[in-house]
Amino acid sequence: MLKRLEVKTSSRVQLIEITSQVRTFLRSENMTSGVLILYIPHSTCGITINENADPAVKEDILSFLDTMVPRDHEYRHVEGNADAHIKASLLGSSVTVFVESSALVLGTWQGIFLAEFDGPRKRSVLLKLLPD
Ligand code: ZN
């Protein structure tokens, strides 16, 4: 069954760590082993897995994306959020995580991040568990 996590973002551009929310969801399910797919049903928001230890990594990712895709470029999209669409596509709209012994299989320093590029908004993360 498809599940949904709600995430409220608080600024226009932001990486929000959602690993603990995902773990809470996993505890509510009775699946010990399989695959978890996380999908973002938005066009100006993405998802990524990266370092969760040094907060400077998040800042570097956002800063570098902003250098690559500045907000004030002459885009054709009239909504004024073309940079957000491009950044969302660069990061992607889904990640896959293995589940073993009812736990997420992540590297020691890894966390799952929702990437907001046109907030603040209420966002959804769709989750699909595929048991072994
Ligand atoms: Zn738009």
Side-chain angles (χ1 to χ4, degrees), residues 5-11 14 16 18 21 114 116 119-124:
L5 288 184
E6 302 291 345
V7 180
K8 206 172 169 196
T9 65
S10 59
S11 61
Q14 189 177 19
I16 299 181
I18 60 168
Q21 274 178 268
L114 179 136
E116 176 63 83
R121 295 185 192 215
K122 194 172 160 193
R123 299 296 198 172
S124 295

Side-chain angles (χ1 to χ4, degrees), residues 70-96:
R71 188 175 185 183
D72 60 357
H73 183 74
E74 286 181 26
Y75 300 106
R76 299 180 62 159
H77 182 50
V78 295
E79 278 187 322
N81 63 354
D83 64 315
H85 289 290
I86 295 166
K87 289 167 186 164
S89 274
L90 286 174
L91 282 200
S93 56
S94 69
V95 293
T96 303

Side-chain angles (χ1 to χ4, degrees), residues 18 49-50 65 72 96 102 112 115-116 132:
I18 60 168
I49 295 176
N50 213 301
L65 283 171
D72 60 357
T96 303
S102 302
I112 305 167
E116 176 63 83
D132 282 348

